[in-house]
Amino acid sequence: MRPPDFEYSGPGTLREALEYLDSRPGSKVLAGGQSLIPLLKTRLASPAALVDINGISELSYITTGRGVLRFGALARHRDFELGELPRQLEIFRDVSKQLGDTQVRNMGTACGSMAHADPAGDWGPAAVAVGARLIVESVDGRREVMARNFFKGPFSTDLRENEILVGVEVPFSEGQGTAYTKLKRKTDDFATVGAAVSVRVSRGGSIESATLVLAGAGEVPVAVEINDVVKGRTPDEAADEIKKVAGQAGEYQEDLRGSVEYKREMAGVMALRSLRSAYSRARGD
Ligand SMILES: Cc1cc2nc3c(=O)[nH]c(=O)nc-3n(C[C@H](O)[C@H](O)[C@H](O)COP(=O)(O)OP(=O)(O)OC[C@H]3O[C@@H](n4cnc5c(N)ncnc54)[C@H](O)[C@@H]3O)c2cc1C
């Protein structure tokens, strides 16, 4: 189907993009286009105007320094898959490697994925698990939103109509390990269920704290309290309880990807796999 008519702008600076967005209510940001273009073609979205941010080179970066990974709105899935990351944030490589297909990963952006807020999206749970800070900007200035407060519902976020998610900051530190594991039916499928884990491990090899966030388990990324279960233990010692706690969390619908019972069972399996992987990364195994 042909998209509805819209005005198009391809600014070269962030300032121009923000001013354009502010002056045209009903506009949409165009990043990788991997979610927005299909919505336009099926007429599920009909914005008055598109602000294409692909020409804004200042938004294209991934940098690491002083215990913080920073990336801009044009950091693409593929950049995380192939680029350098702090070993504590290998979760972002996991996410990117398991997302879509090569074409989607070449074009799609991490920020676009979070702004799109698909309940089965992979980036949101990872961002919540690692305590990411999202940097949002409009003509009125900048503000920060913790990833855990950003997702409001299916395809709904804290972003206002005149704001751009310009970048993300992720703190990391020694003793930390992270991982994302996803169950999907085939290449380029969204998660039946996915599990993002960030864990902190003591020198003695026991877990000090851990965060688990599930994908596809509700309307937004679902954070599961697991500290009581894992504290002072190893993943193997906590295995049965982790599977149980993860399996009890979230709200599922039966669909083509499986029954509610199956998804709960798989949430437990994915959670344990991610915990094991994050734990061994934290120990440098
Ligand atoms: C075949 C296929 C398979 C896929 N599989 C997966 C998958 O397994 N897991 C997964 O998580 N995703 C998957 N996706 C979606 C993919 O991750 C998209 O790249 C992502 O959802 C959107 O990123 P984008 O840069 O393409 O954004 P766009 O499509 O350009 O934009 C998406 C939405 O976000 C808004 N937006 C984008 N960037 C910003 C910004 N910086 N600030 C404010 N608003 C912004 C747009 O206005 C639009 O509403 C798949 C897509 C396809 C086509």
Side-chain angles (χ1 to χ4, degrees), residues 28-38 53 73 77 98-101 104 107-109 111-113 115-116 120-123 159 163-166 182 188-191:
K28 281 259 170 210
V29 172
L30 175 67
Q34 297 305 297
S35 296
L36 185 53
I37 299 293
I53 60 172
H77 309 308
Q98 297 176 81
L99 185 155
D101 53 29
V104 171
M107 289 302 295
T109 64
C111 286
S113 183
H116 187 57
D122 301 306
W123 272 98
L159 277 174
E163 288 180 325
I164 296 179
L165 173 54
V166 293
K182 166 180 177 180
D188 92 11
D189 195 18
F190 279 81

mmCIF file of all heavy atoms in Angstrom, residues 28-38 53 73 77 98-101 104 107-109 111-113 115-116 120-123 159 163-166 182 188-191, ligand 1:
data_model
loop_
_atom_site.group_PDB
_atom_site.id
_atom_site.type_symbol
_atom_site.label_atom_id
_atom_site.label_comp_id
_atom_site.label_asym_id
_atom_site.label_seq_id
_atom_site.Cartn_x
_atom_site.Cartn_y
_atom_site.Cartn_z
ATOM 1 N N LYS A 28 6.706 12.958 13.058
ATOM 2 C CA LYS A 28 7.400 11.785 13.616
ATOM 3 C C LYS A 28 8.868 11.838 13.227
ATOM 4 O O LYS A 28 9.213 12.251 12.115
ATOM 5 C CB LYS A 28 6.814 10.495 13.032
ATOM 6 C CG LYS A 28 5.511 10.073 13.654
ATOM 7 C CD LYS A 28 5.792 8.975 14.644
ATOM 8 C CE LYS A 28 4.612 8.620 15.505
ATOM 9 N NZ LYS A 28 5.003 8.139 16.806
ATOM 10 N N VAL A 29 9.706 11.357 14.141
ATOM 11 C CA VAL A 29 11.129 11.204 13.851
ATOM 12 C C VAL A 29 11.306 9.953 12.985
ATOM 13 O O VAL A 29 10.694 8.921 13.255
ATOM 14 C CB VAL A 29 11.912 11.036 15.178
ATOM 15 C CG1 VAL A 29 13.371 10.681 14.909
ATOM 16 C CG2 VAL A 29 11.803 12.300 16.018
ATOM 17 N N LEU A 30 12.140 10.051 11.956
ATOM 18 C CA LEU A 30 12.516 8.873 11.166
ATOM 19 C C LEU A 30 13.977 8.548 11.455
ATOM 20 O O LEU A 30 14.867 9.352 11.173
ATOM 21 C CB LEU A 30 12.337 9.155 9.661
ATOM 22 C CG LEU A 30 12.809 8.032 8.732
ATOM 23 C CD1 LEU A 30 11.934 6.789 8.874
ATOM 24 C CD2 LEU A 30 12.833 8.502 7.277
ATOM 25 N N ALA A 31 14.214 7.369 12.057
ATOM 26 C CA ALA A 31 15.595 6.931 12.323
ATOM 27 C C ALA A 31 15.928 5.823 11.326
ATOM 28 O O ALA A 31 16.088 6.099 10.138
ATOM 29 C CB ALA A 31 15.731 6.493 13.776
ATOM 30 N N GLY A 32 15.958 4.564 11.769
ATOM 31 C CA GLY A 32 16.274 3.477 10.841
ATOM 32 C C GLY A 32 15.115 3.113 9.927
ATOM 33 O O GLY A 32 15.294 2.427 8.917
ATOM 34 N N GLY A 33 13.912 3.542 10.281
ATOM 35 C CA GLY A 33 12.730 3.283 9.455
ATOM 36 C C GLY A 33 12.223 1.848 9.499
ATOM 37 O O GLY A 33 11.258 1.500 8.818
ATOM 38 N N GLN A 34 12.824 1.000 10.321
ATOM 39 C CA GLN A 34 12.478 -0.431 10.297
ATOM 40 C C GLN A 34 11.130 -0.733 10.944
ATOM 41 O O GLN A 34 10.533 -1.775 10.693
ATOM 42 C CB GLN A 34 13.588 -1.257 10.951
ATOM 43 C CG GLN A 34 14.901 -1.164 10.231
ATOM 44 C CD GLN A 34 14.754 -1.548 8.759
ATOM 45 O OE1 GLN A 34 14.411 -2.675 8.450
ATOM 46 N NE2 GLN A 34 14.979 -0.600 7.865
ATOM 47 N N SER A 35 10.662 0.172 11.777
ATOM 48 C CA SER A 35 9.319 0.022 12.332
ATOM 49 C C SER A 35 8.382 1.065 11.728
ATOM 50 O O SER A 35 7.211 0.777 11.439
ATOM 51 C CB SER A 35 9.339 0.184 13.861
ATOM 52 O OG SER A 35 10.105 -0.849 14.428
ATOM 53 N N LEU A 36 8.883 2.275 11.520
ATOM 54 C CA LEU A 36 8.011 3.355 11.049
ATOM 55 C C LEU A 36 7.574 3.164 9.598
ATOM 56 O O LEU A 36 6.390 3.357 9.269
ATOM 57 C CB LEU A 36 8.734 4.705 11.227
ATOM 58 C CG LEU A 36 7.914 5.952 10.889
ATOM 59 C CD1 LEU A 36 6.581 5.971 11.648
ATOM 60 C CD2 LEU A 36 8.704 7.222 11.197
ATOM 61 N N ILE A 37 8.495 2.769 8.716
ATOM 62 C CA ILE A 37 8.117 2.643 7.296
ATOM 63 C C ILE A 37 7.010 1.584 7.109
ATOM 64 O O ILE A 37 6.026 1.850 6.413
ATOM 65 C CB ILE A 37 9.353 2.343 6.409
ATOM 66 C CG1 ILE A 37 10.367 3.497 6.510
ATOM 67 C CG2 ILE A 37 8.969 2.074 4.966
ATOM 68 C CD1 ILE A 37 9.931 4.826 5.926
ATOM 69 N N PRO A 38 7.134 0.391 7.747
ATOM 70 C CA PRO A 38 6.007 -0.554 7.628
ATOM 71 C C PRO A 38 4.691 0.030 8.148
ATOM 72 O O PRO A 38 3.624 -0.218 7.574
ATOM 73 C CB PRO A 38 6.451 -1.745 8.491
ATOM 74 C CG PRO A 38 7.940 -1.672 8.519
ATOM 75 C CD PRO A 38 8.290 -0.218 8.441
ATOM 76 N N ILE A 53 16.387 12.007 10.836
ATOM 77 C CA ILE A 53 17.573 12.429 11.607
ATOM 78 C C ILE A 53 18.865 11.794 11.076
ATOM 79 O O ILE A 53 19.931 11.998 11.653
ATOM 80 C CB ILE A 53 17.408 12.119 13.118
ATOM 81 C CG1 ILE A 53 17.213 10.611 13.372
ATOM 82 C CG2 ILE A 53 16.281 12.938 13.713
ATOM 83 C CD1 ILE A 53 17.230 10.235 14.857
ATOM 84 N N ALA A 73 21.529 8.638 19.067
ATOM 85 C CA ALA A 73 20.280 8.181 18.437
ATOM 86 C C ALA A 73 20.516 7.437 17.129
ATOM 87 O O ALA A 73 19.630 6.719 16.671
ATOM 88 C CB ALA A 73 19.365 9.378 18.192
ATOM 89 N N HIS A 77 21.800 -1.191 15.430
ATOM 90 C CA HIS A 77 21.951 -2.527 16.039
ATOM 91 C C HIS A 77 23.288 -3.149 15.629
ATOM 92 O O HIS A 77 23.992 -3.736 16.440
ATOM 93 C CB HIS A 77 20.822 -3.460 15.597
ATOM 94 C CG HIS A 77 19.440 -2.892 15.775
ATOM 95 N ND1 HIS A 77 18.987 -2.370 16.963
ATOM 96 C CD2 HIS A 77 18.400 -2.781 14.907
ATOM 97 C CE1 HIS A 77 17.733 -1.960 16.808
ATOM 98 N NE2 HIS A 77 17.362 -2.202 15.578
ATOM 99 N N GLN A 98 20.642 -11.069 18.202
ATOM 100 C CA GLN A 98 19.421 -11.888 18.168
ATOM 101 C C GLN A 98 18.227 -11.138 17.582
ATOM 102 O O GLN A 98 17.109 -11.638 17.568
ATOM 103 C CB GLN A 98 19.082 -12.361 19.589
ATOM 104 C CG GLN A 98 20.154 -13.261 20.187
ATOM 105 C CD GLN A 98 19.861 -13.633 21.627
ATOM 106 O OE1 GLN A 98 19.083 -14.528 21.909
ATOM 107 N NE2 GLN A 98 20.488 -12.940 22.559
ATOM 108 N N LEU A 99 18.455 -9.903 17.146
ATOM 109 C CA LEU A 99 17.341 -9.045 16.706
ATOM 110 C C LEU A 99 17.206 -9.072 15.184
ATOM 111 O O LEU A 99 18.179 -8.832 14.469
ATOM 112 C CB LEU A 99 17.636 -7.625 17.206
ATOM 113 C CG LEU A 99 16.585 -6.541 17.000
ATOM 114 C CD1 LEU A 99 16.753 -5.448 18.047
ATOM 115 C CD2 LEU A 99 16.609 -5.949 15.616
ATOM 116 N N GLY A 100 15.995 -9.311 14.699
ATOM 117 C CA GLY A 100 15.691 -9.194 13.276
ATOM 118 C C GLY A 100 16.639 -9.981 12.388
ATOM 119 O O GLY A 100 17.116 -11.053 12.738
ATOM 120 N N ASP A 101 16.892 -9.410 11.195
ATOM 121 C CA ASP A 101 17.858 -10.014 10.279
ATOM 122 C C ASP A 101 18.920 -8.961 9.957
ATOM 123 O O ASP A 101 18.881 -7.847 10.469
ATOM 124 C CB ASP A 101 17.161 -10.517 9.013
ATOM 125 C CG ASP A 101 16.312 -9.429 8.366
ATOM 126 O OD1 ASP A 101 16.657 -8.238 8.528
ATOM 127 O OD2 ASP A 101 15.298 -9.747 7.738
ATOM 128 N N VAL A 104 17.676 -5.473 8.859
ATOM 129 C CA VAL A 104 17.078 -4.708 9.965
ATOM 130 C C VAL A 104 18.178 -4.176 10.873
ATOM 131 O O VAL A 104 18.167 -3.017 11.295
ATOM 132 C CB VAL A 104 16.104 -5.603 10.765
ATOM 133 C CG1 VAL A 104 15.634 -4.903 12.035
ATOM 134 C CG2 VAL A 104 14.915 -5.998 9.904
ATOM 135 N N MET A 107 20.150 -1.095 9.546
ATOM 136 C CA MET A 107 19.447 0.195 9.495
ATOM 137 C C MET A 107 18.869 0.612 10.850
ATOM 138 O O MET A 107 18.922 1.780 11.223
ATOM 139 C CB MET A 107 18.282 0.116 8.480
ATOM 140 C CG MET A 107 18.713 0.047 7.028
ATOM 141 S SD MET A 107 19.718 1.468 6.546
ATOM 142 C CE MET A 107 18.543 2.805 6.721
ATOM 143 N N GLY A 108 18.277 -0.324 11.562
ATOM 144 C CA GLY A 108 17.539 -0.001 12.790
ATOM 145 C C GLY A 108 18.461 0.509 13.891
ATOM 146 O O GLY A 108 19.632 0.144 13.970
ATOM 147 N N THR A 109 17.911 1.348 14.761
ATOM 148 C CA THR A 109 18.702 1.948 15.842
ATOM 149 C C THR A 109 18.199 1.478 17.204
ATOM 150 O O THR A 109 17.008 1.166 17.368
ATOM 151 C CB THR A 109 18.599 3.479 15.793
ATOM 152 O OG1 THR A 109 17.233 3.862 16.048
ATOM 153 C CG2 THR A 109 19.052 4.040 14.450
ATOM 154 N N CYS A 111 17.977 3.429 19.852
ATOM 155 C CA CYS A 111 17.056 4.459 20.372
ATOM 156 C C CYS A 111 15.698 4.362 19.692
ATOM 157 O O CYS A 111 14.652 4.540 20.338
ATOM 158 C CB CYS A 111 17.657 5.855 20.182
ATOM 159 S SG CYS A 111 18.994 6.198 21.340
ATOM 160 N N GLY A 112 15.696 4.086 18.381
ATOM 161 C CA GLY A 112 14.423 3.933 17.674
ATOM 162 C C GLY A 112 13.627 2.785 18.249
ATOM 163 O O GLY A 112 12.404 2.854 18.407
ATOM 164 N N SER A 113 14.325 1.718 18.591
ATOM 165 C CA SER A 113 13.661 0.558 19.167
ATOM 166 C C SER A 113 13.010 0.921 20.511
ATOM 167 O O SER A 113 11.872 0.538 20.784
ATOM 168 C CB SER A 113 14.695 -0.551 19.347
ATOM 169 O OG SER A 113 14.090 -1.702 19.827
ATOM 170 N N ALA A 115 12.168 4.004 21.503
ATOM 171 C CA ALA A 115 11.090 4.976 21.249
ATOM 172 C C ALA A 115 9.844 4.273 20.713
ATOM 173 O O ALA A 115 8.723 4.668 21.018
ATOM 174 C CB ALA A 115 11.569 6.037 20.259
ATOM 175 N N HIS A 116 10.050 3.227 19.933
ATOM 176 C CA HIS A 116 8.920 2.478 19.354
ATOM 177 C C HIS A 116 8.188 1.672 20.429
ATOM 178 O O HIS A 116 6.972 1.515 20.392
ATOM 179 C CB HIS A 116 9.457 1.571 18.244
ATOM 180 C CG HIS A 116 8.412 0.865 17.465
ATOM 181 N ND1 HIS A 116 7.403 1.514 16.796
ATOM 182 C CD2 HIS A 116 8.201 -0.470 17.251
ATOM 183 C CE1 HIS A 116 6.628 0.631 16.198
ATOM 184 N NE2 HIS A 116 7.083 -0.577 16.466
ATOM 185 N N ALA A 120 7.345 -6.647 22.807
ATOM 186 C CA ALA A 120 8.249 -7.788 22.621
ATOM 187 C C ALA A 120 9.624 -7.336 22.149
ATOM 188 O O ALA A 120 10.452 -8.170 21.784
ATOM 189 C CB ALA A 120 7.656 -8.776 21.616
ATOM 190 N N GLY A 121 9.883 -6.031 22.155
ATOM 191 C CA GLY A 121 11.183 -5.510 21.714
ATOM 192 C C GLY A 121 12.295 -5.959 22.650
ATOM 193 O O GLY A 121 12.074 -6.218 23.843
ATOM 194 N N ASP A 122 13.513 -6.037 22.115
ATOM 195 C CA ASP A 122 14.643 -6.560 22.882
ATOM 196 C C ASP A 122 15.437 -5.476 23.613
ATOM 197 O O ASP A 122 16.067 -5.756 24.637
ATOM 198 C CB ASP A 122 15.599 -7.305 21.931
ATOM 199 C CG ASP A 122 14.908 -8.459 21.222
ATOM 200 O OD1 ASP A 122 14.325 -9.309 21.912
ATOM 201 O OD2 ASP A 122 14.926 -8.497 19.979
ATOM 202 N N TRP A 123 15.449 -4.261 23.079
ATOM 203 C CA TRP A 123 16.297 -3.226 23.678
ATOM 204 C C TRP A 123 15.781 -2.721 25.026
ATOM 205 O O TRP A 123 16.563 -2.436 25.939
ATOM 206 C CB TRP A 123 16.458 -2.039 22.708
ATOM 207 C CG TRP A 123 17.619 -2.246 21.792
ATOM 208 C CD1 TRP A 123 17.573 -2.722 20.515
ATOM 209 C CD2 TRP A 123 19.000 -2.032 22.084
ATOM 210 N NE1 TRP A 123 18.844 -2.824 20.006
ATOM 211 C CE2 TRP A 123 19.738 -2.394 20.944
ATOM 212 C CE3 TRP A 123 19.688 -1.568 23.202
ATOM 213 C CZ2 TRP A 123 21.128 -2.307 20.890
ATOM 214 C CZ3 TRP A 123 21.081 -1.475 23.147
ATOM 215 C CH2 TRP A 123 21.779 -1.843 22.003
ATOM 216 N N LEU A 159 8.178 9.910 26.093
ATOM 217 C CA LEU A 159 8.558 10.957 25.128
ATOM 218 C C LEU A 159 7.370 11.852 24.792
ATOM 219 O O LEU A 159 6.281 11.360 24.503
ATOM 220 C CB LEU A 159 9.031 10.324 23.814
ATOM 221 C CG LEU A 159 10.464 9.847 23.688
ATOM 222 C CD1 LEU A 159 10.654 9.138 22.354
ATOM 223 C CD2 LEU A 159 11.438 11.012 23.828
ATOM 224 N N GLU A 163 9.851 15.907 21.363
ATOM 225 C CA GLU A 163 11.142 15.485 21.898
ATOM 226 C C GLU A 163 11.808 14.411 21.030
ATOM 227 O O GLU A 163 11.130 13.590 20.408
ATOM 228 C CB GLU A 163 10.970 14.918 23.310
ATOM 229 C CG GLU A 163 10.667 15.990 24.346
ATOM 230 C CD GLU A 163 10.493 15.414 25.748
ATOM 231 O OE1 GLU A 163 9.965 14.287 25.875
ATOM 232 O OE2 GLU A 163 10.860 16.098 26.714
ATOM 233 N N ILE A 164 13.135 14.413 21.074
ATOM 234 C CA ILE A 164 13.924 13.358 20.436
ATOM 235 C C ILE A 164 14.724 12.648 21.520
ATOM 236 O O ILE A 164 15.279 13.292 22.418
ATOM 237 C CB ILE A 164 14.875 13.942 19.365
ATOM 238 C CG1 ILE A 164 14.068 14.579 18.230
ATOM 239 C CG2 ILE A 164 15.796 12.853 18.804
ATOM 240 C CD1 ILE A 164 14.926 15.218 17.121
ATOM 241 N N LEU A 165 14.743 11.334 21.447
ATOM 242 C CA LEU A 165 15.639 10.553 22.312
ATOM 243 C C LEU A 165 17.021 10.667 21.676
ATOM 244 O O LEU A 165 17.296 10.022 20.671
ATOM 245 C CB LEU A 165 15.149 9.102 22.367
ATOM 246 C CG LEU A 165 16.037 8.085 23.090
ATOM 247 C CD1 LEU A 165 16.368 8.527 24.502
ATOM 248 C CD2 LEU A 165 15.364 6.716 23.097
ATOM 249 N N VAL A 166 17.846 11.560 22.220
ATOM 250 C CA VAL A 166 19.101 11.891 21.518
ATOM 251 C C VAL A 166 20.232 10.927 21.865
ATOM 252 O O VAL A 166 21.191 10.787 21.109
ATOM 253 C CB VAL A 166 19.554 13.348 21.785
ATOM 254 C CG1 VAL A 166 18.579 14.324 21.156
ATOM 255 C CG2 VAL A 166 19.731 13.623 23.265
ATOM 256 N N LYS A 182 17.089 -14.969 24.276
ATOM 257 C CA LYS A 182 15.763 -14.777 23.677
ATOM 258 C C LYS A 182 15.308 -16.074 23.022
ATOM 259 O O LYS A 182 16.098 -16.729 22.333
ATOM 260 C CB LYS A 182 15.929 -13.672 22.628
ATOM 261 C CG LYS A 182 14.812 -13.498 21.639
ATOM 262 C CD LYS A 182 15.199 -12.339 20.713
ATOM 263 C CE LYS A 182 14.191 -12.125 19.634
ATOM 264 N NZ LYS A 182 14.562 -10.995 18.743
ATOM 265 N N ASP A 188 14.569 -13.312 12.447
ATOM 266 C CA ASP A 188 13.813 -12.053 12.299
ATOM 267 C C ASP A 188 12.466 -12.069 13.032
ATOM 268 O O ASP A 188 11.640 -11.195 12.824
ATOM 269 C CB ASP A 188 13.720 -11.574 10.838
ATOM 270 C CG ASP A 188 12.491 -12.037 10.060
ATOM 271 O OD1 ASP A 188 11.557 -12.572 10.640
ATOM 272 O OD2 ASP A 188 12.497 -11.805 8.827
ATOM 273 N N ASP A 189 12.301 -13.047 13.927
ATOM 274 C CA ASP A 189 11.075 -13.048 14.729
ATOM 275 C C ASP A 189 11.305 -12.279 16.033
ATOM 276 O O ASP A 189 12.411 -12.239 16.560
ATOM 277 C CB ASP A 189 10.697 -14.496 15.077
ATOM 278 C CG ASP A 189 9.266 -14.593 15.573
ATOM 279 O OD1 ASP A 189 8.482 -13.643 15.336
ATOM 280 O OD2 ASP A 189 8.932 -15.611 16.193
ATOM 281 N N PHE A 190 10.227 -11.680 16.520
ATOM 282 C CA PHE A 190 10.277 -11.054 17.842
ATOM 283 C C PHE A 190 10.294 -12.147 18.914
ATOM 284 O O PHE A 190 10.021 -13.315 18.637
ATOM 285 C CB PHE A 190 9.070 -10.136 18.036
ATOM 286 C CG PHE A 190 9.252 -8.791 17.384
ATOM 287 C CD1 PHE A 190 9.022 -8.623 16.030
ATOM 288 C CD2 PHE A 190 9.668 -7.692 18.125
ATOM 289 C CE1 PHE A 190 9.205 -7.386 15.423
ATOM 290 C CE2 PHE A 190 9.856 -6.460 17.535
ATOM 291 C CZ PHE A 190 9.614 -6.295 16.182
ATOM 292 N N ALA A 191 10.588 -11.726 20.139
ATOM 293 C CA ALA A 191 10.739 -12.692 21.229
ATOM 294 C C ALA A 191 9.407 -13.350 21.589
ATOM 295 O O ALA A 191 8.405 -12.665 21.782
ATOM 296 C CB ALA A 191 11.295 -11.988 22.464
HETATM 297 C C1 LIG B 1 11.617 -7.873 9.853
HETATM 298 C C2 LIG B 1 11.814 -7.151 11.146
HETATM 299 C C3 LIG B 1 12.176 -7.861 12.266
HETATM 300 C C4 LIG B 1 12.374 -7.196 13.481
HETATM 301 N N1 LIG B 1 12.705 -7.938 14.579
HETATM 302 C C5 LIG B 1 12.890 -7.319 15.758
HETATM 303 C C6 LIG B 1 13.233 -8.058 16.906
HETATM 304 O O1 LIG B 1 13.424 -9.278 16.878
HETATM 305 N N2 LIG B 1 13.380 -7.388 18.085
HETATM 306 C C7 LIG B 1 13.213 -6.027 18.164
HETATM 307 O O2 LIG B 1 13.358 -5.468 19.267
HETATM 308 N N3 LIG B 1 12.905 -5.307 17.081
HETATM 309 C C8 LIG B 1 12.734 -5.905 15.894
HETATM 310 N N4 LIG B 1 12.409 -5.158 14.792
HETATM 311 C C9 LIG B 1 12.271 -3.690 14.931
HETATM 312 C C10 LIG B 1 13.639 -3.028 14.798
HETATM 313 O O3 LIG B 1 14.364 -3.241 15.997
HETATM 314 C C11 LIG B 1 13.565 -1.517 14.585
HETATM 315 O O4 LIG B 1 14.859 -1.120 14.185
HETATM 316 C C12 LIG B 1 13.211 -0.693 15.779
HETATM 317 O O5 LIG B 1 12.018 -1.133 16.387
HETATM 318 C C13 LIG B 1 12.983 0.770 15.426
HETATM 319 O O6 LIG B 1 14.193 1.402 15.189
HETATM 320 P P1 LIG B 1 14.361 2.328 13.927
HETATM 321 O O7 LIG B 1 15.643 3.046 14.102
HETATM 322 O O8 LIG B 1 14.208 1.509 12.702
HETATM 323 O O9 LIG B 1 13.175 3.379 14.132
HETATM 324 P P2 LIG B 1 12.080 3.952 13.126
HETATM 325 O O10 LIG B 1 11.376 2.851 12.422
HETATM 326 O O11 LIG B 1 12.677 5.014 12.272
HETATM 327 O O12 LIG B 1 11.087 4.638 14.185
HETATM 328 C C14 LIG B 1 10.283 3.844 15.028
HETATM 329 C C15 LIG B 1 9.470 4.774 15.958
HETATM 330 O O13 LIG B 1 10.323 5.398 16.904
HETATM 331 C C16 LIG B 1 10.354 6.825 16.714
HETATM 332 N N5 LIG B 1 11.757 7.225 16.861
HETATM 333 C C17 LIG B 1 12.815 6.631 16.279
HETATM 334 N N6 LIG B 1 13.957 7.172 16.723
HETATM 335 C C18 LIG B 1 13.600 8.120 17.617
HETATM 336 C C19 LIG B 1 14.337 9.007 18.442
HETATM 337 N N7 LIG B 1 15.680 9.013 18.440
HETATM 338 N N8 LIG B 1 13.666 9.870 19.242
HETATM 339 C C20 LIG B 1 12.298 9.867 19.246
HETATM 340 N N9 LIG B 1 11.555 9.027 18.516
HETATM 341 C C21 LIG B 1 12.194 8.165 17.698
HETATM 342 C C22 LIG B 1 9.767 7.067 15.333
HETATM 343 O O14 LIG B 1 9.157 8.338 15.253
HETATM 344 C C23 LIG B 1 8.781 5.926 15.226
HETATM 345 O O15 LIG B 1 7.601 6.247 15.921
HETATM 346 C C24 LIG B 1 12.210 -5.774 13.570
HETATM 347 C C25 LIG B 1 11.857 -5.058 12.421
HETATM 348 C C26 LIG B 1 11.655 -5.736 11.224
HETATM 349 C C27 LIG B 1 11.281 -4.922 10.002
#
